[in-house]
Amino acid sequence: ALLLLGGLETLQTASIVGGAPLLVIAVLLCMSIYKISRYDLQNQPHVESDEIDVNKFPEHDHWHPKGTWDVD
């Protein structure tokens, strides 16, 4: 319908206007993930550093009931 009403420029403008609020929401979501990750790392007693090193894999799994990564 927008293409018939005003051509390609109207369609481009409508998509930018429609996508701008979603961009703001996406930025806010990224900021909240960062904040909660920092908060979680600061409040974990077993974490020595507040940085995540993806190259190191811990030997002990704190979330598993058996405390191990091995799957039975």
Side-chain angles (χ1 to χ4, degrees), residues 2 10 13 23 58:
L2 286 173
T10 305
T13 304
L23 179 64

Side-chain angles (χ1 to χ4, degrees), residues 1-70:
L2 286 173
L3 191 57
L4 292 175
L5 288 175
L8 188 58
E9 289 181 18
T10 305
L11 185 61
Q12 288 175 340
T13 304
S15 65
I16 290 172
V17 169
L22 295 176
L23 179 64
V24 172
I25 292 171
V27 168
L28 290 174
L29 282 171
C30 290
M31 289 171 46
S32 68
I33 289 171
Y34 177 76
K35 276 183 78 171
I36 197 66
S37 298
R38 297 285 299 172
Y39 176 80
D40 187 42
L41 283 174
Q42 290 173 353
N43 293 308
Q44 293 292 329
H46 62 273
V47 177
E48 294 86 19
S49 175
D50 63 348
E51 295 180 3
I52 298 174
D53 185 4
V54 295
N55 295 322
K56 286 182 157 180
F57 199 70
E59 296 177 16
H60 184 69
D61 179 12
H62 297 283
W63 301 106
H64 193 275
K66 293 182 180 179
T68 181
W69 293 102
D70 298 330

